[in-house]
Amino acid sequence: MAFLTISGDSSDRFELTEVETTLGRHPDCTIVVDAGAVSRYHAKVIAEGDQFLVEDSGSRNGTFLNGKVLSKAEPLKPGDRIRVSDVEFVFNTDTVPEFARPETEMTFEGSNFGIQMVDEGTDSLSGVLPNLGSENQSQVEFRSSIDGLKMSATAEAKLAALMQINRELTGVLGVEEVLPKVLDSLFKIFPAADRGFIVMKNDAGDLIPRWVKNRSRHDETETVRISRTIINQVIDSGEPILSLDASEDSRFDSSQSIADFSIKSMICAPLVDAGGKAFGVLQIDSTAGRGQFRDEDADLLAGVAAQAGIVIINARMHEQALHQREVEQDLKLATEVQQAFLPQTPPESCGYRVRSFYQAANHIGGDYFDYIPLSGDRIAIVVADVVGHGVAAAMFMAKLSAETRFCLASEPDLARAIEMLNDHMSRLHVERFITFLVVVIDPASETAAVVNAGHMAPLVRKASDGSLVEPGEEESGLPIAIDDGMVYETVEFEMAKGDLAVLYTDGINEAMNSKDEEFGIEALRKLTLESGDADEVKDRIVKAVLEHVGDSPPFDDMCMVIIERTGDAQLPSQTSKLDDTLDDDTLESLNETSGGLL
């Protein structure tokens, strides 16, 4: 039996028992419509055998079928909507469609579905199709409603699909593997669904479609059109939404996009993280007509979305772990590269012993030290500290290393070389500065030279009286790379046999323990004054600093260089070198042979 109902009001059912059913404002019409600008004889439904057609009767404002104006008689199928002015009728029939009759096979997405006819309410359907034996087979039941015949998976089919979802999602580690498997399984649970998609928020909080599936086509790369009204409401509430007819749902009155997308029935469920916060949605919808889904379907989709949310979060954590592993590997390589920048062995200098200690706070650091050979057997010993630590500081340190060597090699005047270095680093316009200290030792001189650019002055222990001096402290200039055009001053200080100098960065004196107490400059001075050679002083200071820090994480990079004068200043000469290797008779013979040149 075919019939019409008023959309949104199923209480009135108009059975189409006549060959011609008229609709209009006139009292003689079969269905009297007294609303809006309805013509007296507006439209009619004509029965032709088993088929029904709708035709406009020359109305003033036209008759619409599924939103399109009628220009001629059009056949009707269950779920079609006939609009007469402001009133919309839904056409349906109690007759089981041909494809749903016993001994008939139907196919969705390439899989055979057995069809079971069941009783629901007062409408009775009968007949059972045999199970066709495919392991991917689902069962579908048809239920009669005021909106026509509806199709849904049986409880057994839903359970089987849920078990399949569990199997497919178990052990999945990539998000891109999770999403299509979830949607594939949903189409087996919800045979009435025309489309399914997953939308997730990115790091910026924007909604990004991650995967889409259409039953009628397999192109998941197409542009996805979504209703943000629905999605935002689900994300904000954290609760699933079921709409029997989204186009007429009062919750979405302000969303013209829903009508544009032709969405009828839909379910939208949130994807939530471990804290219960929604980070996306899983939605299925249908354009076939209202009432394709039920309350229990919404609960079922919410359960699938909860499970998918957990798997997606786990997959994200796995991806983050892989990324972290890659970062750690890169840091390990960067550490090796940085170590290659730093001196591997102490300088070979007659009359001096040099020792060093270096420890980065985070794999790689911004502290820097170097031994740079200069003319006349002199050696420039540099200790510097780029503000901050980590990768950025290490990269700036690498540039500093190259520029320092260039400037010291190209400019013999020590202060002028550091001024040149400052100009070069300042013109990089990097928002970092460097405290910088350079000490030049000369085996042929009793003095050393120092230029200080905003760094701690060296601690020099005098062997003659056991005192401690800090040369260059008052003459210190601004740190490197603050601004170009800075002027620096060279300061000379005595470096006699037995004298010892400690050069360090603030990671030493400002090392923090668990109580946020600094190691302190006074403790460093005291340890420097105690007796011992360069090795003993270095080991003593390092041990004291590390014991002070304890189990606390490193606060800053630590760098220290110890310079000890072990011999008197000597002017090297060819004669003295020969004297070390030849006896007096040989020297006399060579002198005679050379005409007295020796």
Side-chain angles (χ1 to χ4, degrees):
M1 174 66 67
F3 59 93
L4 295 178
T5 59
I6 297 176
S7 179
D9 183 6
S10 60
S11 59
D12 291 328
R13 170 173 165 148
F14 305 99
E15 295 184 352
L16 305 177
T17 57
E18 301 178 10
V19 175
E20 185 175 289
T21 301
T22 57
L23 296 85
R25 186 163 45 86
H26 197 279
D28 291 340
C29 288
T30 310
I31 301 176
V32 177
V33 184
D34 188 12
V38 178
S39 298
R40 290 191 303 164
Y41 296 95
H42 200 106
K44 56 187 174 182
V45 177
I46 306 167
E48 291 187 357
D50 294 335
Q51 189 178 31
F52 288 84
L53 297 90
V54 62
E55 183 180 42
D56 183 69
S57 299
S59 65
R60 184 171 47 192
N61 295 311
T63 303
F64 294 82
L65 176 62
N66 296 326
K68 295 182 180 180
V69 65
L70 279 175
S71 58
K72 61 179 181 178
E74 295 286 352
L76 291 170
K77 60 182 182 298
D80 280 351
R81 295 173 176 267
I82 304 168
R83 182 158 62 84
V84 176
S85 186
D86 296 332
V87 180
E88 187 175 60
F89 295 90
V90 180
F91 172 79
N92 271 307
T93 176
D94 293 333
T95 305
V96 179
E98 187 69 26
F99 68 83
R101 291 175 183 168
E103 307 301 331
T104 301
E105 181 180 292
M106 61 182 293
T107 302
F108 288 114
E109 293 292 310
S111 298
N112 292 323
F113 289 72
I115 304 175
Q116 181 179 6
M117 305 305 170
V118 299
D119 292 332
E120 181 173 315
T122 60
D123 299 306
S124 177
L125 301 177
S126 62
V128 179
L129 274 184
N131 191 302
L132 299 178
S134 170
E135 63 180 14
N136 295 321
Q137 182 173 326
S138 296
Q139 291 183 329
V140 177
E141 67 180 20
F142 289 87
R143 51 189 171 85
S144 177
S145 72
I146 60 171
D147 293 315
L149 202 62
K150 305 303 177 186
M151 179 174 56
S152 63
T154 64
E156 294 82 358
K158 292 177 181 179
L159 178 59
L162 286 174
M163 293 176 66
Q164 183 176 352
I165 288 178
N166 283 328
R167 290 193 300 269
E168 289 178 340
L169 297 185
T170 300
V172 173
L173 297 178
V175 173
E176 297 305 320
E177 294 180 62
V178 174
L179 307 185
K181 289 180 181 292
V182 170
L183 292 177
D184 288 343
S185 299
L186 287 178
F187 272 41
K188 298 174 184 178
I189 297 175
F190 302 104
D194 295 316
R195 181 183 68 161
F197 61 81
I198 295 176
V199 174
M200 292 193 295
K201 288 184 176 180
N202 61 12
D203 293 338
D206 300 321
L207 293 172
I208 305 297
R210 293 298 302 274
W211 208 274
V212 62
K213 183 176 180 65
N214 290 284
R215 188 180 294 281
S216 59
R217 53 190 180 275
H218 299 277
D219 182 13
E220 279 80 21
T221 63
E222 66 172 297
T223 301
V224 183
R225 303 181 68 203
I226 62 175
S227 170
R228 296 183 182 275
T229 303
I230 297 174
I231 292 174
N232 287 329
Q233 184 166 335
V234 171
I235 289 179
D236 292 342
S237 66
E239 298 292 336
I241 285 181
L242 165 67
S243 181
L244 299 179
D245 191 340
S247 63
E248 295 188 355
D249 199 318
S250 61
R251 293 172 293 183
F252 315 132
D253 281 346
S254 61
S255 177
Q256 180 61 38
S257 62
I258 293 174
D260 295 340
F261 301 159
S262 301
I263 297 175
K264 298 298 182 183
S265 299
M266 53 75 59
I267 313 174
C268 188
L271 299 169
V272 296
D273 57 23
K277 183 178 180 180
F279 63 88
V281 301
L282 174 57
Q283 179 172 319
I284 58 172
D285 50 48
S286 173
T287 60
R290 73 187 307 273
Q292 296 296 330
F293 308 115
R294 295 179 285 182
D295 290 337
E296 55 265 35
D297 293 334
D299 295 337
L300 182 58
L301 186 66
V304 173
Q307 183 182 10
I310 294 173
V311 175
I312 290 171
I313 292 298
N314 289 341
R316 280 180 169 180
M317 293 175 63
H318 176 71
E319 290 177 349
Q320 291 172 357
L322 291 179
H323 177 68
Q324 181 64 29
R325 188 179 304 172
E326 292 177 358
V327 170
E328 291 176 355
Q329 181 64 23
D330 288 343
L331 286 175
K332 181 180 179 181
L333 294 175
T335 302
E336 296 174 357
V337 171
Q338 185 181 49
Q339 291 296 331
F341 279 132
L342 302 175
Q344 305 302 305
T345 57
E348 296 181 0
S349 175
C350 178
Y352 279 93
R353 180 184 293 118
V354 181
R355 298 291 184 265
S356 65
F357 169 76
Y358 188 93
Q359 179 176 296
N362 296 321
H363 295 284
I364 54 178
D367 282 7
Y368 161 65
F369 77 99
D370 203 356
Y371 311 135
I372 304 172
L374 304 177
S375 60
D377 293 332
R378 295 177 304 148
I379 297 175
I381 299 177
V382 178
V383 172
D385 183 2
V386 177
V387 64
H389 43 81
V391 176
M395 294 177 67
F396 204 44
M397 181 272 279
K399 178 63 174 175
L400 174 68
S401 173
E403 291 290 348
T404 300
R405 285 180 169 269
F406 171 78
C407 293
L408 289 175
S410 57
E411 175 55 60
D413 183 276
L414 184 60
R416 178 69 190 109
I418 304 309
E419 292 168 2
M420 183 189 304
L421 172 66
N422 175 68
D423 291 344
H424 288 186
M425 298 301 293
S426 296
R427 289 164 189 165
L428 296 176
H429 300 293
V430 177
E431 294 183 359
R432 290 180 180 270
F433 62 86
I434 308 146
T435 63
F436 186 94
L437 181 71
V438 57
V439 174
V440 176
I441 56 176
D442 186 354
S445 174
E446 291 286 345
T447 61
V450 60
V451 172
N452 191 340
H455 201 82
M456 289 78 64
L459 304 178
V460 181
R461 184 188 69 190
K462 304 298 296 179
S464 58
D465 58 4
S467 62
L468 191 73
V469 296
E470 299 179 28
E473 182 178 17
E474 294 182 358
E475 294 81 4
S476 175
L478 289 176
I480 300 292
I482 289 182
D483 196 8
D484 59 2
M486 294 293 104
V487 177
Y488 296 98
E489 181 179 350
T490 301
V491 176
E492 293 188 349
F493 63 96
E494 184 182 18
M495 199 68 180
K497 181 179 180 180
D499 288 353
L500 181 144
V502 177
L503 286 62
Y504 59 98
T505 61
D506 58 8
I508 298 292
N509 62 290
E510 294 179 0
M512 307 282 285
N513 62 13
S514 59
K515 299 179 181 180
D516 291 337
E517 298 171 336
E518 291 186 355
F519 182 73
I521 188 67
E522 287 301 324
L524 187 58
R525 289 174 177 145
K526 180 179 178 181
L527 292 171
T528 302
L529 281 171
E530 294 179 11
S531 62
D533 59 19
D535 289 299
E536 292 171 331
V537 172
K538 184 202 75 170
D539 293 343
R540 181 166 62 234
I541 293 175
V542 170
K543 180 181 178 182
V545 171
L546 294 181
E547 287 179 349
H548 174 78
V549 172
D551 296 331
S552 300
F555 174 75
D556 198 359
D557 307 323
M558 291 188 286
C559 177
M560 182 173 60
V561 176
I562 312 294
I563 307 170
E564 180 187 9
R565 186 69 183 259
T566 58
D568 295 324
Q570 289 185 343
L571 292 175
S573 67
Q574 188 176 6
T575 302
S576 63
K577 291 180 181 179
L578 290 172
D579 287 345
D580 290 338
T581 57
L582 302 176
D583 56 28
D584 292 341
D585 293 339
T586 303
L587 282 173
E588 183 177 354
S589 175
L590 288 173
N591 190 38
E592 292 175 356
T593 303
S594 63
L597 292 177
L598 297 178

